[in-house]
């Protein structure tokens, strides 16, 4: 039997979760809601906002799919 290797984030020790729900929680922890800090450029603020937006969209898609009626 072949062992399944758990992937890790590039340059990180934390493993990427195998289940969708755990992955969504991982994204929420990795890209939390942040307020701009003094000294940040507009580019940095917009980049962080884009990361957070992806995490929010993934959660919304997962929750919508979870609420679908069973066949």
């Amino acid at each position: 039997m072949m062992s399944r290797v758990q992937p890790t984030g590039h340059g990180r020790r934390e493993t990427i979760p195998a289940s969708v729900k755990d992955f969504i929680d991982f994204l929420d922890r990795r890209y939390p809601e942040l307020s701009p800090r003094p000294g940040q450029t507009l580019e940095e603020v917009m980049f962080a906002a884009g990361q957070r937006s992806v995490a929010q969209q993934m959660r919304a898609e997962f929750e919508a799919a979870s609420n679908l009626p069973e066949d």
Side-chain angles (χ1 to χ4, degrees):
M1 177 181 215
M2 205 154 95
S3 69
R4 184 172 177 193
V5 176
Q6 187 75 355
T8 60
H10 180 71
R12 302 195 181 284
R13 294 184 185 270
E14 187 174 4
T15 59
I16 296 174
S19 79
V20 175
K21 177 167 181 355
D22 289 343
F23 183 68
I24 301 297
D25 292 340
F26 168 83
L27 289 176
D28 277 339
R29 286 189 313 275
R30 181 71 180 97
Y31 304 110
E33 300 244 8
L34 298 174
S35 296
R37 295 181 318 272
Q40 272 188 305
T41 66
L42 179 59
E43 184 179 71
E44 292 170 326
V45 171
M46 296 302 291
F47 186 78
Q51 291 174 317
R52 181 62 196 158
S53 178
V54 170
Q56 289 172 321
Q57 184 63 34
M58 294 293 292
R59 178 166 295 285
E61 294 289 336
F62 173 72
E63 289 173 354
S66 297
N67 291 328
L68 291 176
E70 298 278 328
D71 284 340

